[in-house]
Amino acid sequence: MKGLASKSTLKIVFGSRKYSVSWKARQKELTAMVEQLDLPTFFITLSAADYHWPDLFRILAPESDIKSLSEKERKQLVQDNPIIVDTFFIKRVEALFEKVLIPKFIVNDYWFRVEYQHRGSPHVHGVIWLDGAPDVQKIENIEDEIADEVAKYFSEYVSTEHPNPQQEPALKHILVEFCEVVDEKQDLAELVNKVQMHTKFGYPKELSDRTKFIIDDKDNIELETKKNHPRVNRYNKNLLQIWRANIDISPVISKERLIAYLAKYITKSENKSVQFQQLLNEIINSSNENDSARRVIQRLFIKFPG
């Protein structure tokens, strides 16, 4: 099962690719959102810490001292109660959007889907539109003043800095709730150590002394964030300390990146194929700078079988 949602629903809507009517509706919804709102501001991923969230285990084991539960016991409780765990995750996502993202980050709209790892752990992939976000499509030269202004804007939301690079790796214990935190900087360092360290997907990365736009090896504009540790994945401080599980937040800086991202996650349930990769490359390569993001997305959905 896969899920999609937008602000217009305020609830996660579940669907499967075999139900073409549902998927066509979601595709049209996204196309309409891009047509009306243009490029989103951020890609966002929210993972579950279902073995470590104390509020989850107060539901799964109400008579137990949750801090004394062993890792083995916590895993067994999660495995024995998949519906409760899944419902808890969905409600947690809804609360994050309704209580934090929309009012505090001034999110005008969003679109996302829920998917599940092989062991059944859920996570969310999606995009959000922030009020007052700069127009990245105006960047023509990374040396221009506007590029510095946009990079500064993104640096306020996205971090790859470790609060304490010398912090020892965290043990696999249950997480502390944010309401119990005494030292926020220490708490952030422990969270980064526990949930934001990556060893795959291009990590470790080179350190950087500031957030700036660069040109990558494919001649594309890329945002390089200030980094003092080679393994820290992109996060937002406030979101990480509230969500208390792995997150990823990355700026949408081109329609090509948006299309590649959407193609990857919209069609993730399909078997990857050379034909699909060729189709994606054809769509991106045949697009020109005057094509709107909406037009390119429409071409993707028209060509991809529903």
Side-chain angles (χ1 to χ4, degrees):
M1 296 288 288
K2 301 291 186 286
L4 294 168
S6 73
K7 187 177 177 181
S8 60
T9 63
L10 281 179
K11 296 290 181 183
I12 295 178
V13 182
F14 288 93
S16 169
R17 283 201 59 82
K18 67 181 180 179
Y19 300 113
S20 60
V21 174
S22 174
W23 274 94
K24 290 295 185 184
R26 302 284 74 77
Q27 293 169 1
K28 290 179 180 178
E29 176 185 73
L30 176 59
T31 301
M33 292 173 73
V34 173
E35 179 178 10
Q36 180 179 359
L37 303 170
D38 213 337
L39 289 181
T41 312
F42 291 108
F43 302 116
I44 187 169
T45 298
L46 302 170
S47 299
D50 45 7
Y51 292 157
H52 305 285
W53 278 332
D55 38 352
L56 172 60
F57 288 99
R58 274 199 294 272
I59 298 172
L60 298 181
E63 304 299 324
S64 301
D65 177 4
I66 59 173
K67 292 185 179 180
S68 67
L69 291 171
S70 68
E71 183 180 7
K72 181 178 180 180
E73 289 173 323
R74 297 198 305 272
K75 287 184 177 181
Q76 192 62 53
L77 283 167
V78 169
Q79 292 169 9
D80 291 345
N81 298 277
I83 296 177
I84 294 176
V85 172
D86 191 59
T87 302
F88 177 87
F89 177 80
I90 299 304
K91 294 297 182 182
R92 193 180 180 100
V93 171
E94 290 176 353
L96 184 74
F97 271 82
E98 294 176 6
K99 304 297 184 182
V100 179
L101 277 170
I102 292 174
K104 302 301 182 183
F105 285 68
I106 319 299
V107 170
N108 286 335
D109 223 321
Y110 58 82
W111 183 97
F112 63 87
R113 68 174 290 174
V114 178
E115 66 175 34
Y116 297 85
Q117 296 174 338
H118 65 279
R119 71 173 177 85
S121 181
H123 54 282
V124 159
H125 294 291
V127 290
I128 56 177
W129 284 261
L130 267 60
D131 185 57
D135 185 356
V136 295
Q137 297 178 93
K138 291 182 178 180
I139 299 176
E140 297 180 354
N141 188 318
I142 62 172
E143 302 297 331
D144 291 345
E145 182 178 349
I146 188 173
D148 289 336
E149 293 174 355
V150 175
K152 182 178 180 181
Y153 172 86
F154 285 135
S155 71
E156 296 178 358
Y157 290 90
V158 182
S159 175
T160 48
E161 291 188 85
H162 198 305
N164 182 5
Q166 308 306 318
Q167 178 87 18
E168 292 294 324
L171 298 175
K172 293 184 177 180
H173 54 70
I174 199 160
L175 288 169
V176 175
E177 292 184 275
F178 188 57
C179 63
E180 300 175 337
V181 171
V182 176
D183 185 333
E184 289 191 21
K185 183 177 180 180
Q186 177 65 18
D187 175 65
L188 181 62
E190 291 179 357
L191 278 171
V192 169
N193 251 8
K194 188 174 182 65
V195 303
Q196 291 298 127
M197 292 294 206
H198 281 202
T199 57
K200 301 178 181 179
F201 311 114
Y203 288 84
K205 294 183 179 292
E206 293 185 6
L207 305 185
S208 177
D209 61 354
R210 67 186 181 93
T211 296
K212 58 184 181 295
F213 283 101
I214 61 172
I215 302 297
D216 65 16
D217 55 6
K218 296 182 180 179
D219 291 328
N220 296 318
I221 295 178
E222 179 65 72
L223 184 73
E224 180 181 84
T225 50
K226 184 177 181 180
K227 181 182 286 289
N228 64 353
H229 193 292
R231 291 175 52 206
V232 176
N233 185 41
R234 290 176 172 178
Y235 70 93
N236 175 276
K237 173 184 178 295
N238 294 322
L239 277 185
L240 180 60
Q241 290 195 280
I242 293 172
W243 182 247
R244 309 192 75 73
N246 175 258
I247 66 174
D248 186 290
I249 180 168
S250 301
V252 180
I253 57 178
S254 71
K255 66 183 178 216
E256 290 80 12
R257 288 284 299 277
L258 174 63
I259 300 309
Y261 178 91
L262 295 177
K264 177 180 179 181
Y265 290 114
I266 291 170
T267 63
K268 202 164 185 179
S269 60
E270 302 293 326
N271 292 327
K272 293 183 179 179
S273 66
V274 174
Q275 289 81 5
F276 174 72
Q277 187 60 51
Q278 290 174 342
L279 172 61
L280 179 59
N281 290 338
E282 174 191 333
I283 291 173
I284 292 177
N285 293 334
S286 63
S287 301
N288 60 60
E289 60 182 13
N290 295 320
D291 284 339
S292 66
R294 174 190 61 82
R295 179 176 176 80
V296 182
I297 289 176
Q298 285 179 326
R299 292 178 61 198
L300 171 66
F301 286 146
I302 289 171
K303 286 179 174 288
F304 192 81

